[in-house]
Amino acid sequence: MGTMGKGMLVTLLAAALLAGCGSNNNGSAVNTAGEESGSGNGNAKSVTLKMFIAQPRFKEHYDNYIAEFVKKEKADKNIDVTVQLEMPTADNASQILKTRLASNDAPDIFALHAVNEIPSYYKAGYLEDLSSQPFAAKLLDSVKPSVTTADGKIVALPLETLSWGYLYNKKIFSEQGLTPPATLTEMKTVIGKLKDKQITPFVLSYKESWIPQLVLPLAVGGMVKTQDPDFVDKMNKDEGSFTEMKSAIFDIFDLINANGTDKATEVGGDDGAAAFAAGKGAMWLMGPWYAETILKSNPDLDFGVAPLPVSDDPAATLINLSASTSLALSPTSKNKEVALDFLNYVLDDQASNGLFQALKFNPVATVHTYESYPWITEATTYVKAGKSVQDPAIPQSVKDEVGKGLQAYYAGQVSQDDVLKALDKAWKSFNKVNK
């Protein structure tokens, strides 16, 4: 309460003094003077906070939440905060951020992918230890491990936790008497039945390379849980090869591509969401993180989340569990106090519920009391039945490579073997840098 009380008192005193000397003017002038003088009095300080979050489709939600934080920081601590929010697209964010961090131009707060990026960023010294922050004690036990380093430090605040496979249109499925398939052969049957009724099985959207890339963690997750448990360890030791994953990746990817909408390389995530919302395909290789965009397009759409078959072994058809977008603090930030205030405000006991609900994110903390969305509940039934796998720790550079490779493969420019060779090479390069 100490600083908060003092800050409030200073603001009130300043306002009272100003009201005294400005009483001849009209009300609005007093107001303006109050604001100016408040920021000019000895105790107020101005801070510019730089944030980097690669989710431009949520700009409005973040802007509104940041505006509330700015008001709170002024009221609680008499600090004038200006936030510069940079929102690149997901495709090039990782590269931009790495360049900025390496050239000592780090944003105060930046988003990174928990599973793919925390280990290497922490090793490089880019992540502040947040273990003692109030928000850390609020994280759900199921979520904590994904933002915790190997030596037990919490180094990021998770925004998105994911339970995903692919999305399907429940209305189309129920009208056609279909249920989500458990094997590749069953998927072929489902596709056949949809085509018999002139329904396009899949929406394809490969304009952004991270979207075709989604098939990789699903394939690797399924194989790691069934036939190839040491795959990631072998790759980290330069002893494995993606040739072990060839059929798991390409059998399902080829099947999707042969039974999808046209011009996939011209369709990005937002257009894919609109096509799926309009029923232009019964399924979409995508996670529920696009829920907000889909429902904006068609609020009545009833869609579900199911695990994607990657082989004929139903035990390899699994929901992928991970934390992705998470917020970290740069150790070089000159505005740590305010940056930490913001991070804790993201899991504020009251305000946080509204933010996470508006973004259609899963609850990540004990303060989240809102009801989960139907598609999350559905994914959770698979998780409870043991049909899930933790997102395999594939380096981000390898995921970037697979995205580009699968775009080129879809366009007929490279072969399956070309893609797999490029992935092996990308992982070897990652090992060299991170040894």
Side-chain angles (χ1 to χ4, degrees):
M1 166 74 195
T3 46
M4 198 169 144
K6 240 187 297 185
M8 287 292 289
L9 197 60
V10 171
T11 316
L12 289 168
L13 274 170
L17 287 166
L18 276 159
C21 59
S23 50
N24 307 338
N25 307 338
N26 63 28
S28 64
V30 170
N31 221 355
T32 332
E35 279 175 20
E36 281 171 8
S37 173
S39 53
N41 77 43
N43 292 309
K45 63 176 181 180
S46 297
V47 165
T48 299
L49 216 51
K50 290 182 178 172
M51 294 188 203
F52 181 99
I53 305 172
Q55 294 182 313
R57 67 184 190 280
F58 295 139
K59 184 178 186 317
E60 198 183 322
H61 295 301
Y62 284 118
D63 283 346
N64 293 341
Y65 202 71
I66 286 166
E68 290 304 311
F69 167 71
V70 168
K71 275 189 221 158
K72 183 175 162 53
E73 203 68 351
K74 178 69 177 164
D76 291 359
K77 294 191 170 179
N78 198 23
I79 298 174
D80 292 312
V81 184
T82 306
V83 173
Q84 292 175 358
L85 176 59
E86 195 179 341
M87 297 198 117
T89 59
D91 260 8
N92 43 20
S94 181
Q95 210 36 61
I96 297 170
L97 182 59
K98 274 191 198 127
T99 308
R100 298 271 296 278
L101 293 169
S103 58
N104 293 322
D105 180 24
D108 298 287
I109 289 171
F110 55 87
L112 77 173
H113 188 294
V115 177
N116 303 349
E117 295 178 319
I118 281 179
S120 55
Y121 280 46
Y122 178 61
K123 203 170 173 183
Y126 295 146
L127 306 178
E128 179 83 1
D129 181 3
L130 303 171
S131 312
S132 61
Q133 289 304 308
F135 82 76
K138 301 176 184 180
L139 295 176
L140 297 172
D141 289 341
S142 56
V143 172
K144 223 173 258 179
S146 54
V147 289
T148 304
T149 60
D151 58 0
K153 293 188 172 82
I154 291 175
V155 291
L157 182 154
L159 283 175
E160 279 188 286
T161 57
L162 310 173
S163 313
W164 65 282
Y166 66 95
L167 304 181
Y168 71 100
N169 184 316
K170 294 185 98 159
K171 184 167 181 267
I172 292 176
F173 266 60
S174 67
E175 281 171 357
Q176 303 307 322
L178 301 171
T179 53
T183 64
L184 210 50
T185 302
E186 284 179 22
M187 177 61 92
K188 287 172 187 163
T189 307
V190 165
I191 287 169
K193 287 182 175 169
L194 289 167
K195 288 173 87 168
D196 287 347
K197 293 287 192 324
Q198 277 72 54
I199 298 164
T200 305
F202 283 94
V203 167
L204 304 185
S205 56
Y206 299 153
K207 186 178 179 181
E208 297 156 56
S209 61
W210 67 268
I211 301 176
Q213 169 277 135
L214 295 170
V215 79
L216 183 81
L218 297 176
V220 173
M223 292 297 103
V224 163
K225 190 89 178 246
T226 52
Q227 296 171 21
D228 205 345
D230 303 321
F231 176 73
V232 173
D233 292 337
K234 284 187 295 193
M235 292 303 291
N236 284 332
K237 293 176 186 161
D238 285 343
E239 289 166 10
S241 168
F242 272 96
T243 48
E244 301 166 42
M245 293 288 153
K246 185 172 182 173
S247 61
I249 295 169
F250 287 104
D251 289 357
I252 184 64
F253 193 59
D254 286 347
L255 191 62
I256 291 171
N257 296 340
N259 297 285
T261 49
D262 298 333
K263 298 185 176 163
T265 46
E266 293 171 28
V267 180
D270 287 348
D271 293 333
F276 181 68
K280 290 185 180 166
M283 296 171 275
W284 187 26
L285 176 64
M286 182 54 72
W289 52 83
Y290 257 89
E292 198 251 8
T293 315
I294 293 166
L295 294 172
K296 215 181 251 178
S297 215
N298 178 3
D300 301 322
L301 186 76
D302 188 10
F303 69 92
V305 172
L308 187 73
V310 294
S311 72
D312 268 334
D313 180 357
T317 303
L318 302 165
I319 289 287
N320 180 303
L321 294 179
S322 74
S324 64
T325 311
S326 304
L327 297 179
L329 168 63
S330 168
T332 60
S333 167
K334 295 186 170 53
N335 302 305
K336 278 187 189 166
E337 180 200 350
V338 176
L340 288 168
D341 285 348
F342 178 75
L343 287 175
N344 284 303
Y345 186 62
V346 171
L347 288 186
D348 179 79
D349 289 5
Q350 274 78 43
S352 178
N353 266 298
L355 174 70
F356 276 71
Q357 248 182 310
L359 295 167
K360 305 274 187 290
F361 287 170
N362 297 0
V364 301
T366 49
V367 299
H368 290 157
T369 51
Y370 61 92
E371 203 171 314
S372 272
Y373 300 97
W375 56 89
I376 291 166
T377 309
E378 180 177 5
T380 308
T381 58
Y382 289 102
V383 177
K384 286 182 175 155
K387 295 182 186 301
S388 69
V389 62
Q390 284 292 327
D391 193 33
I394 299 165
Q396 186 63 43
S397 53
V398 177
K399 289 191 166 183
D400 292 346
E401 191 62 50
V402 83
K404 288 184 296 213
L406 291 177
Q407 273 178 330
Y409 170 73
Y410 171 82
Q413 295 158 348
V414 298
S415 69
Q416 294 184 2
D417 289 334
D418 292 334
V419 174
L420 300 171
K421 272 187 198 129
L423 296 189
D424 284 350
K425 192 177 159 197
W427 204 313
K428 282 195 167 121
S429 306
F430 171 82
N431 289 342
K432 269 197 194 105
V433 175
N434 286 278
K435 280 235 158 86

